[in-house]
Amino acid sequence: MGPPGAGKGTQAKFISEKFSVPHISTGDIFRENLKKQTPIGLEAKSYMDRGEYVPDDVTNRIVADRLTWDDTKNGFLLDGYPRTLDQVKFLDNTLSEKNQSIDRVIELVADLNTLVARLLNRAKEQNRADDTEEVITKRLEVYQAETAPIIETYKKRNLVIQVDGLGEIGTVARRIITAIES
Ligand code: AMP
């Protein structure tokens, strides 16, 4: 978990390879659906373009579907999910039905100004429609309002490890791996 621009996607790729578990990114799934112009992709687009969250029922459905794949039997890494309280509850129920549970929550911590700069830079490199300055501000606001509070839920369960998200990519990856293995 962590705010937009903290490097979740980049780090999730490393970590999923290191621990040989699939990397499940709801943002990536929405972007793939959009590329293929599926109904889910088209519905998600309007929210993503505004920097808002896709409705919980849509998001929960794609995650529940993804978690039925065989490759999740021995573990998985969720990236960008859950982001709302409703999603936390849905995930709890889905996992308990499968006799699985969350082992760790990695929170990438980063300073707000650095994040805005990073996101603007990524916008230039990747041409993402949701990386204009207005949308970036909105995404950070939505994160503060909806997602920052649910990290508290996981803190109460003693699952959260905070990792400094600033620094060179490999350095941050090593911090996360050390945190997971400790
Ligand atoms: P990301 O690449 O993780 O930043 O996700 C890009 C966009 O996809 C977000 O700004 C949301 O519009 C949407 N999205 C991704 N994950 C979720 C989620 N868990 N709940 C709602 N919307 C999401």
Side-chain angles (χ1 to χ4, degrees):
M1 303 185 85
K8 292 189 296 294
T10 307
Q11 293 301 333
K13 273 190 206 98
F14 278 124
I15 305 309
S16 64
E17 272 168 34
K18 163 83 186 164
F19 293 96
S20 302
V21 291
H23 168 205
I24 303 176
S25 155
T26 41
D28 284 352
I29 296 174
F30 287 135
R31 281 184 288 275
E32 279 158 25
N33 273 276
L34 185 55
K35 230 191 255 169
K36 294 184 196 148
Q37 302 272 298
T38 69
I40 284 182
L42 295 173
E43 184 177 355
K45 179 180 169 29
S46 56
Y47 297 97
M48 293 168 83
D49 283 353
R50 289 195 301 264
E52 291 170 9
Y53 285 168
V54 177
D56 287 327
D57 59 331
V58 179
T59 309
N60 287 335
R61 224 179 320 129
I62 63 160
V63 173
D65 173 69
R66 183 62 185 82
L67 290 175
T68 64
W69 294 22
D70 259 5
D71 66 351
T72 62
K73 279 202 178 120
N74 296 320
F76 48 84
L77 175 67
L78 292 169
D79 162 16
Y81 182 93
R83 270 169 148 124
T84 67
L85 193 56
D86 186 83
Q87 292 176 15
V88 170
K89 290 180 185 158
F90 183 87
L91 181 63
D92 283 344
N93 291 336
T94 306
L95 292 182
S96 81
E97 279 167 15
K98 296 154 61 73
N99 285 324
Q100 286 184 311
S101 58
I102 297 292
D103 296 323
R104 295 272 194 292
V105 175
I106 306 294
E107 180 187 2
L108 280 180
V109 182
D111 158 75
L112 211 77
N113 291 329
T114 312
L115 293 179
V116 173
R118 264 195 195 183
L119 287 165
L120 285 171
N121 200 28
R122 188 170 75 183
K124 271 191 231 137
E125 284 169 6
Q126 298 181 356
N127 204 15
R128 272 176 57 152
D130 59 350
D131 273 348
T132 64
E133 195 156 2
E134 192 191 345
V135 178
I136 287 167
T137 309
K138 178 71 183 171
R139 288 169 69 213
L140 286 166
E141 278 171 16
V142 173
Y143 178 81
Q144 290 299 340
E146 304 243 13
T147 305
I150 68 164
I151 297 182
E152 294 305 313
T153 309
Y154 286 117
K155 278 191 184 152
K156 283 187 195 135
R157 298 183 194 176
N158 278 328
L159 293 178
V160 178
I161 304 176
Q162 287 185 320
V163 173
D164 179 1
L166 294 182
E168 200 257 317
I169 289 176
T171 308
V172 177
R174 275 190 293 278
R175 284 181 199 139
I176 297 175
I177 291 165
T178 307
I180 292 174
E181 286 176 337
S182 67

